[in-house]
Amino acid sequence: EQFSGHLPTRLKGLDDALRGGIPFGVLTEVVGPAGIGKTQFCLKISLLASLPTCYGGLDGRVVYIDVESKFCSRRLIEIGATSFPEIFNTKGMAQEMAGRILVLRPASLCEFTESLEQIKVSILQNQVKLLVIDSMASLVSGEYYKEAPRQHLLGWHISFIKSLAEFSRIPVLVTNQVRSQSHDEACQYYFQVHSNAVTPDEAKKYDSHLVAALGIHWAHSVTTRIVLEAKSGQRYMKVAKSPISPPLAFPFIITSSGISF
Ligand code: ATP
Ligand code: MG
């Protein structure tokens, strides 16, 4: 890979596995069932990108595409205040940090397309150091789904986002929810489909939503995939796809300071 640089997650095992953190210039996907912590992960990473470099951040702006209206600035400030009290307790700094995160809420696929085109224009001049899309598959479900047939609907968007990452050399973090009666099974199948171990048809019965929405094109566009899952009441984070890391899993918790090991 000619792209160098990483955004450290401060989750030590994960940073070691990924040789520094979330890689620049490529797509990183966080996938898992509802409530597992995907948005919490994005909030923490957004905060880290906006922090001054003397605190290990990228001292930049973040574009956060909040497709499902799940971004919560109060929660962001809570994570900041408990993780970095020295910054967040300085007068005006909590607002300054939160203000660096530009939250976009496209109300339609059309607006999402427009947002992407605008981001491409402004990403370099506005010191944008991270793009988050929470979540990608929900762009072709629910309200959004009404607009058009969803089969591989996002083909253009997937290519555009990938080239955006390459050209701007920033990390792009994308979430996707796995919907299934058995979350463990769904995560497993999602991983297998995306390693081409089973056909999309076979996988459809496990997670028709995700596979139909994003398909194999998406699978191949993602460089690093982190799977979040729960087993016997314990949350785990797995590096499920990576050009450099073997499949490793780490237990994690979510507290007032966000995701931690
Ligand atoms: P979805 O697919 O529905 O968007 P998600 O994977 O994004 O789900 P999150 O919203 O990131 O899930 O995680 C929600 C979970 O985070 C809650 O169920 C709770 O366990 C935990 N959580 C949120 N805020 C706090 C907090 N202040 N303290 C401790 N845990 C919290
Ligand atoms: Mg979420």
Side-chain angles (χ1 to χ4, degrees):
E1 289 278 59
Q2 80 257 45
F3 305 112
S4 59
H6 296 87
L7 170 54
T9 66
R10 317 262 179 131
L11 300 166
K12 195 177 175 324
L14 186 64
D15 284 346
D16 288 349
L18 300 179
R19 296 209 196 126
I22 309 291
F24 291 0
V26 290
L27 308 190
T28 297
E29 181 186 34
V30 177
V31 63
I36 193 73
K38 301 180 295 295
T39 299
Q40 298 298 314
F41 187 88
C42 292
L43 291 175
K44 186 132 197 186
I45 301 301
S46 298
L47 204 61
L48 293 171
S50 68
L51 284 186
T53 42
C54 57
Y55 290 96
L58 299 178
D59 202 17
R61 289 175 198 278
V62 176
V63 176
Y64 195 112
I65 306 185
D66 181 25
V67 181
E68 295 177 296
S69 294
K70 284 179 176 168
F71 180 90
C72 174
S73 52
R74 260 168 125 196
R75 175 63 176 142
L76 183 90
I77 288 171
E78 181 190 30
I79 296 171
T82 44
S83 311
F84 310 102
E86 65 283 21
I87 306 175
F88 277 74
N89 293 338
T90 307
K91 199 170 172 289
M93 279 308 267
Q95 280 67 29
E96 159 75 21
M97 288 299 115
R100 291 181 175 195
I101 298 165
L102 173 67
V103 182
L104 303 178
R105 293 205 173 94
S108 64
L109 201 55
C110 206
E111 278 187 32
F112 177 66
T113 308
E114 283 167 17
S115 301
L116 287 180
E117 282 166 344
Q118 280 162 14
I119 291 165
K120 187 175 179 178
V121 174
S122 66
I123 211 160
L124 296 176
Q125 68 226 49
N126 287 320
Q127 293 287 315
V128 175
K129 296 287 172 71
L130 172 70
L131 171 62
V132 177
I133 304 173
D134 184 19
S135 75
M136 188 78 179
S138 54
L139 283 161
V140 280
S141 63
E143 285 302 297
Y144 294 86
Y145 166 60
K146 287 193 209 123
E147 285 179 58
R150 68 180 178 181
Q151 189 78 29
H152 303 296
L153 185 65
L154 293 178
W156 179 87
H157 301 83
I158 292 167
S159 302
F160 193 91
I161 294 162
K162 193 166 176 258
S163 71
L164 202 69
E166 283 168 12
F167 127 95
S168 62
R169 307 200 167 193
I170 62 167
V172 174
L173 186 61
V174 181
T175 71
N176 276 312
Q177 191 188 85
V178 177
R179 292 183 193 173
S180 173
Q181 280 152 329
S182 159
H183 292 141
D184 281 354
E185 219 173 10
C187 284
Q188 217 174 354
Y189 263 81
Y190 181 78
F191 174 52
Q192 284 178 12
V193 168
H194 286 194
S195 331
N196 291 341
V198 294
T199 68
D201 275 349
E202 282 174 75
K204 261 177 197 163
K205 59 180 187 273
Y206 294 92
D207 206 325
S208 54
H209 167 76
L210 200 54
V211 173
L214 300 175
I216 293 298
H217 180 195
W218 173 251
H220 291 159
S221 301
V222 170
T223 297
T224 304
R225 179 170 300 111
I226 300 165
V227 175
L228 306 187
E229 61 185 16
K231 265 187 195 138
S232 330
Q234 171 67 58
R235 289 175 157 106
Y236 291 91
M237 181 179 293
K238 252 194 216 163
V239 180
K241 180 183 176 186
S242 164
I244 51 172
S245 172
L248 294 173
F250 315 94
F252 73 94
I253 53 171
I254 306 176
T255 66
S256 57
S257 66
I259 283 197
S260 51
F261 283 172

